[in-house]
Amino acid sequence: MLYRTIVAGGESVQRERLEQLLDGDDEASLAALAALCAGASHVVWDGTTSAESLARIYGRRLRLTLRKGIETTGLEQAVQGLSRYGGPVRLGQIRAIDGSWTFMLFLDQDGSALVACTGVRQTPPMP
């Protein structure tokens, strides 16, 4: 079976399946894959959300991060991808083992395809 229940609540796509889905050529997916392979935690929540509403939310986040100088990866592409997709999406998250990055995953309704991926730095880079 593709999904398994995790202690943190909701269902999660198995780690190996997420690794396959993140094996793309964009910077955000590659960074999320590297974090996952290094032991990052991950979750994919139950239920779906409108890609259109997420595009609006993450569009605001894009403007905010640009204004505040917060480092992101793939955020503009994620907003564009969600705007184009239009269908329901499942949300997932990968947190780097050192806490430095959090990646948001936007999967199709059944979790079989990656619609978009973005990451935001949680801690300042080391000098």
Short mmCIF file of all heavy atoms in Angstrom, two decimals, residues 8 20 29 65 71 79 83 88 92 96:
data_model
loop_
_atom_site.label_atom_id
_atom_site.label_comp_id
_atom_site.label_asym_id
_atom_site.label_seq_id
_atom_site.Cartn_x
_atom_site.Cartn_y
_atom_site.Cartn_z
N ALA A 8 2.70 11.12 14.18
CA ALA A 8 2.45 12.57 14.21
C ALA A 8 1.06 12.93 13.74
O ALA A 8 0.66 14.07 13.81
CB ALA A 8 3.50 13.29 13.36
N GLN A 20 11.42 9.16 -4.80
CA GLN A 20 11.15 9.04 -6.24
C GLN A 20 10.47 10.29 -6.79
O GLN A 20 10.81 10.78 -7.85
CB GLN A 20 10.26 7.83 -6.53
CG GLN A 20 10.93 6.50 -6.25
CD GLN A 20 9.93 5.34 -6.30
OE1 GLN A 20 8.73 5.53 -6.39
NE2 GLN A 20 10.46 4.12 -6.23
N SER A 29 13.26 20.77 -5.32
CA SER A 29 13.07 19.32 -5.20
C SER A 29 14.38 18.61 -4.88
O SER A 29 14.40 17.70 -4.05
CB SER A 29 12.49 18.75 -6.50
OG SER A 29 11.20 19.23 -6.71
N THR A 65 8.50 37.15 1.93
CA THR A 65 9.90 36.70 2.05
C THR A 65 10.84 37.60 1.25
O THR A 65 11.95 37.87 1.69
CB THR A 65 10.07 35.23 1.61
OG1 THR A 65 9.63 35.07 0.26
CG2 THR A 65 9.31 34.29 2.53
N GLU A 71 15.51 33.73 2.89
CA GLU A 71 15.96 32.85 1.81
C GLU A 71 14.95 31.73 1.54
O GLU A 71 14.50 31.05 2.47
CB GLU A 71 17.31 32.25 2.16
CG GLU A 71 17.93 31.45 1.04
CD GLU A 71 19.29 30.89 1.40
OE1 GLU A 71 19.80 31.14 2.50
OE2 GLU A 71 19.85 30.18 0.55
N VAL A 79 4.39 28.79 -6.75
CA VAL A 79 3.19 29.62 -6.93
C VAL A 79 2.69 29.46 -8.37
O VAL A 79 1.49 29.26 -8.61
CB VAL A 79 3.47 31.09 -6.59
CG1 VAL A 79 2.31 31.99 -7.01
CG2 VAL A 79 3.76 31.25 -5.11
N SER A 83 -0.83 27.63 -9.54
CA SER A 83 -1.79 28.40 -10.34
C SER A 83 -2.19 27.64 -11.59
O SER A 83 -3.35 27.63 -11.98
CB SER A 83 -1.19 29.75 -10.73
OG SER A 83 -1.02 30.56 -9.60
N PRO A 88 -7.21 19.65 -6.80
CA PRO A 88 -6.93 19.53 -5.37
C PRO A 88 -5.53 18.96 -5.14
O PRO A 88 -5.05 18.13 -5.91
CB PRO A 88 -8.01 18.58 -4.87
CG PRO A 88 -8.44 17.82 -6.07
CD PRO A 88 -8.21 18.70 -7.26
N GLY A 92 2.46 18.27 2.03
CA GLY A 92 3.46 17.51 2.75
C GLY A 92 4.56 18.44 3.21
O GLY A 92 4.66 19.58 2.76
N ALA A 96 14.53 19.54 7.53
CA ALA A 96 15.93 19.12 7.57
C ALA A 96 16.30 18.70 8.99
O ALA A 96 15.82 19.27 9.97
CB ALA A 96 16.83 20.26 7.11
#
